[in-house]
Amino acid sequence: MKRIGVVGLGLIGARHAQAVLAHDGAALACVVDPDAALRARFDVPGFAALADVDLPLDGVILATPTALHADQACLALGRGWPVIVEKPLAGDLAGADRIVAAQASTGLPVLTGHHRRHRADVQALRALVQGGAIGRPVTASCLWAMKKPDTYFQTAWRQGREGSPVMLNLVHDIDVLRFVLGDVTGVQAMAGASLRGATARSESGAVMLRFDSGAVASIAFADTTPSPWGFEAGTGENPNIATTGQDMLFIAGTGGAVSFPSLTLWRGAADWGEPPMAQRHDAGPSDTLGAQLTHFLAVIDGAPPLIDAADARATLATTLAVETALAVQSEAP
Ligand SMILES: NC(=O)c1ccc[n+]([C@@H]2O[C@H](COP(=O)([O-])OP(=O)(O)OC[C@H]3O[C@@H](n4cnc5c(N)ncnc54)[C@H](O)[C@@H]3O)[C@@H](O)[C@H]2O)c1
C-alpha cells in the first residue's frame, strides 16, 4: 500500500481523497488544508500546511489553487515525494519552469493532473487518429459550452485570470488535442462579450490552433451557456456536471472523420458525392481519477509519467498563449 497525502480538499481534492480511500493499492496517509472543517471530514491525520507534514509519504496529490502549485510541488519534491500536480501545472511559465527544474534536480517524477489522458475513450480516439483510421488529420472542431453556477465564482481565486474557463477547462481540451493531434505551433483567439461582468477573466470566445502536422482546430467555449456540449457532459466524467452523452469533438482527415465521445467513425466516401458510412466504437467505461491514481502508483515505482512536468508545460504554454490572444480584440475591417 502506497501512503498518499492529499493537499487541498476543495472541489477536486475531495474527489482525489475519495479515490485514494477507494483504491486497493493506496492508503490515505494524511490530508492538508487550512480549513479545519474540511480536514475533519477525513478520519486520517490532518495538517494546515504542507510544510507541517511530519509523516512518511510515498506520494502527494496537489489539488490547491493554481497559484500555489509551483511552490508546493517544489516543496513536495524537496521532501522526496513524487507528486501529482493538478492542472494547470502552474499559473505561469516561470512557475512551470521551477517545477520542471525540481523534477530534473531531484530525479523524482511529476505527473500532471490531465486525467483525461487516462480515459479509455480518449486513448481509443488517439489510437484511431494516430493509427490512420481517418487518413491524415486535417481539421478539428471542439465545443465547450457549459454554464457554471454563479456561486462557483464566489471563491476569490476564481475571480481572476486563474478562474477563466481557458485556464480551468480549455486547458483540458487543449491537452486532449495535443495528445491526439500533436504539438501546437500557432494560436489565435477572440473573446466574446462579458455577460457576468468579469473584467479579469474571459467568459467565452473562439480559439484556433495549428499543429506541427499542419492540421488546424477550433475551440468554441463559454461558461455562461447551459448547452449539452462539453467534454464532461459528453463523457459523464465529473459527478458534479450533468451528463448528456452528446458529441463535442469532431476530427476530419483525408480518409474519413471521427466524433467524440461516441467514437463514431465515418468512412467510405471518395468525395462529397458519396455518403460516408458510420461505425461506432465502444471503448468501455473509465474511472478517470482511479485510473490516474493507478498510474501514479506505477510512476512512484519507476514507470514514466503519461504527462510529466515538461509535457504539461507545453499544454500550459498554449493555454497562456490563448489567454494572451483573447486579450487582444481586433476590430472588423
Ligand atoms: N482535474 C480536474 O478536472 C480539475 C477539476 C477542478 C479543479 N482542478 C484544479 O485543481 C485545483 C483546485 O481547484 P478546486 O476547484 O478544487 O479549488 P477549490 O477552491 O475548490 O479548493 C482548493 C482547496 O485548497 C485549499 N487550500 C488553499 N490554500 C492551501 C494551502 N496553502 N495548502 C493546502 N490547501 C490549501 C482551500 O482551502 C480549498 O479547500 C486548481 O488548480 C484547478 O485548476 C482540476
Side-chain angles (χ1 to χ4, degrees):
M1 296 284 270
K2 297 275 190 294
R3 294 155 304 181
I4 305 296
V6 174
V7 187
L9 297 171
L11 265 187
I12 192 73
R15 290 181 57 210
H16 279 302
Q18 293 299 345
V20 173
L21 287 170
H23 201 288
D24 288 344
L28 185 63
C30 69
V31 290
V32 180
D33 199 295
D35 186 330
L38 294 180
R39 298 198 303 268
R41 292 185 186 169
F42 297 92
D43 190 18
V44 298
F47 301 90
L50 181 59
D52 297 342
V53 174
D54 57 2
L55 301 170
L57 298 177
D58 297 307
V60 163
I61 301 175
L62 283 185
T64 47
T66 305
L68 303 180
H69 290 181
D71 281 351
Q72 291 183 326
C74 292
L75 177 60
L77 291 167
R79 296 281 300 268
W81 300 325
V83 61
I84 293 181
V85 181
E86 258 307 344
K87 46 50 60 176
L89 178 65
D92 54 29
L93 290 182
D97 287 340
R98 286 167 53 212
I99 300 176
V100 171
Q103 180 183 251
S105 66
T106 61
L108 291 169
V110 173
L111 174 67
T112 312
H114 284 291
H115 59 249
R116 293 180 186 173
R117 292 193 185 202
H118 301 274
R119 295 184 58 84
D121 49 13
V122 171
Q123 292 185 355
L125 176 69
R126 183 182 201 232
L128 284 170
V129 172
Q130 296 191 356
I134 62 167
R136 177 177 171 169
V138 174
T139 189
S141 189
C142 175
L143 274 164
W144 193 87
M146 299 281 103
K147 181 166 183 182
K148 293 184 176 176
D150 294 339
T151 50
Y152 181 90
F153 295 103
Q154 287 169 3
T155 303
W157 72 268
R158 294 192 186 119
Q159 289 163 15
R161 189 185 70 173
E162 279 153 8
S164 89
V166 175
M167 292 295 278
L168 287 175
N169 307 101
L170 260 59
V171 66
H172 279 305
D173 294 297
I174 289 167
D175 191 65
V176 168
L177 289 171
R178 285 190 62 240
F179 191 50
V180 172
L181 294 174
D183 283 336
V184 174
T185 57
V187 173
Q188 291 187 6
M190 191 173 289
S194 169
L195 304 184
R196 297 183 193 271
T199 51
R201 58 177 200 85
S202 60
E203 299 178 359
S204 63
V207 176
M208 289 182 286
L209 303 176
R210 188 180 63 243
F211 298 84
D212 61 1
S213 65
V216 289
S218 66
I219 309 174
F221 74 94
D223 66 14
T224 49
T225 51
S227 96
W229 303 305
F231 188 100
E232 300 91 332
T235 61
E237 74 158 9
N238 186 332
N240 301 321
I241 298 176
T243 305
T244 62
Q246 296 297 303
D247 280 344
M248 42 62 66
L249 172 59
F250 307 84
I251 306 176
T254 53
V258 61
S259 61
F260 180 90
S262 68
L263 292 171
T264 306
L265 198 55
W266 295 86
R267 286 195 294 194
D271 56 39
W272 65 5
E274 298 174 359
M277 304 297 289
Q279 182 190 6
R280 287 282 289 265
H281 288 251
D282 184 6
S286 286
D287 164 15
T288 316
L289 291 187
Q292 178 177 256
L293 179 58
T294 297
H295 175 65
F296 184 49
L297 301 182
V299 165
I300 291 172
D301 281 337
L306 186 53
I307 172 161
D308 67 7
D311 200 357
R313 183 199 186 279
T315 293
L316 176 65
T318 298
T319 307
L320 291 170
V322 169
E323 282 285 2
T324 302
L326 285 169
V328 180
Q329 292 302 295
S330 54
E331 300 298 326

